[in-house]
Amino acid sequence: MQTRQLGSTGLHVSQIGFGGMPLSITGRPAKSEALKILHASLRAGVTLIDTADVYCLDQSDIGHNERLIAEALATWDGDAPVSVATKGGLSRPGGAWVTDAHPRRLKSACEASLKALRVPALTLYQLHAVDDAVPIEDSVGALADLRRAGKIVHIGLSNVGVAEIRRAQAVAPIVSVQNRCSVFDRRDFNNGVVALCAAEHLTYLAYSPVGGGRGKARVAEDATLKAVGARHGVSPFQVALAWLLVKSPAIVPIPGASKITSAIDSAAAGNLTLTAEDLATLDQAFPT
């Protein structure tokens, strides 16, 4: 699998990352199976794993996915360097998803993530979402403080638009943006976010790139994706991921998986070369 640079950091990661969320939320696999899924993804060449403190069942389960990833890496016998990106700025009271990006919350969340991931510094720490009750300048300012303290190396944003990216950049260096993006969710191609990332060498981490838990059936059943996949002998999921890679050199899709076969299939999309005919067909079906 080829690599792409993570922002302007000089750090290279696999073209296809792995989103850890499905391994820790409702319906998650057993721990032993989850570790096998992570190891299968790593064996397939993935070197970027995305997580968050709130990938869990509820507030009492905070850090579940981070701890799982730490154990997977500790028991991994490969020698390729693996980068882990995590996030702070949400909480899970009663299983709900609640924005909480106050500086005090972010600093305590960072400390908890350091402990859960068993690392002295977080490679990429992302603001999970903008808090309507807290100016983004204050939230990113807290991340800048953590960076100066050596607790995080790079700062990223998630669930943001162009204006919010600009406001954050005025406070601290930003290396990545993580937003929802897929063949069926193309808004960031039209609102300037992907173009901004490409122009300013920010990595665009596309989450739910094959529709997420609810949308994956739509990808699996789409006639265009199936037809292109049939020409190459691959799944429609691989086609959807390869399409994102072609659309911008800034994009790194981070599909999740709750099955070993899905993890391996997604990773293989980095090796799929779409033809000019394929791209014409896909761009007609999924205009940006």
Side-chain angles (χ1 to χ4, degrees):
M1 187 189 299
Q2 297 180 3
T3 64
R4 292 195 166 180
Q5 186 165 312
L6 180 61
S8 56
T9 65
L11 178 67
H12 283 76
V13 298
S14 52
Q15 282 185 308
I16 305 290
F18 181 88
M21 183 177 175
L23 302 180
S24 293
I25 59 173
T26 301
R28 65 196 188 192
K31 179 181 176 181
S32 59
E33 185 66 12
L35 292 172
K36 291 178 183 177
I37 292 167
L38 284 163
H39 286 166
S41 186
L42 294 170
R43 281 195 300 273
V46 167
T47 62
L48 174 66
I49 301 177
D50 179 78
T51 183
D53 57 348
V54 291
Y55 291 169
C56 59
L57 299 179
D58 55 34
Q59 199 67 21
S60 67
D61 195 38
I62 286 288
H64 179 276
N65 198 246
E66 293 173 322
R67 293 189 295 273
L68 185 67
I69 289 167
E71 185 168 344
L73 293 176
T75 55
W76 167 238
D77 57 7
D79 55 8
V82 178
S83 298
V84 177
T86 191
K87 298 180 283 293
L90 296 181
S91 60
R92 297 296 310 280
W97 301 80
V98 178
T99 307
D100 186 357
H102 189 281
R104 285 194 304 272
R105 155 67 182 156
L106 288 169
K107 290 179 179 181
S108 64
C110 175
E111 294 291 349
S113 291
L114 287 167
K115 183 177 179 181
L117 286 166
R118 310 178 200 172
V119 293
L122 302 170
T123 300
L124 176 60
Y125 195 58
Q126 305 157 94
L127 177 65
H128 206 149
V130 177
D131 189 334
D132 290 340
V134 180
I136 191 172
E137 290 82 359
D138 291 354
S139 299
V140 175
L143 302 188
D145 290 343
L146 292 165
R147 182 171 177 265
R148 284 189 288 269
K151 296 184 178 181
I152 63 177
V153 182
H154 303 293
I155 299 172
L157 306 171
S158 186
N159 299 301
V160 289
V162 168
E164 292 160 330
I165 296 169
R166 291 298 192 197
R167 289 171 62 187
Q169 287 177 313
V171 178
I174 304 299
V175 305
S176 66
V177 172
Q178 182 178 152
N179 281 2
R180 181 185 294 273
C181 188
S182 71
V183 292
F184 296 119
D185 196 335
R186 305 183 298 277
R187 75 189 86 180
D188 280 1
F189 291 109
N190 302 319
N191 63 19
V193 172
V194 172
L196 171 63
C197 289
E200 303 203 1
H201 306 291
L202 310 181
T203 295
Y204 182 96
L205 299 172
Y207 76 79
S208 297
V210 289
R214 296 179 181 178
K216 61 185 179 182
R218 189 178 179 191
V219 171
E221 297 166 3
D222 183 81
T224 301
L225 296 174
K226 288 170 67 176
V228 174
R231 289 205 287 264
H232 294 272
V234 302
S235 72
F237 300 104
Q238 284 193 40
V239 176
L241 293 169
W243 179 83
L244 284 172
L245 292 175
V246 171
K247 295 305 289 184
S248 172
I251 294 179
V252 174
I254 48 172
S258 56
K259 296 180 180 178
I260 291 174
T261 52
S262 297
I264 295 172
D265 185 70
S266 290
N271 300 319
L272 175 60
T273 300
L274 297 173
T275 67
E277 180 185 0
D278 296 332
L279 293 174
T281 300
L282 291 166
D283 287 342
Q284 182 176 10
F286 311 111
T288 56

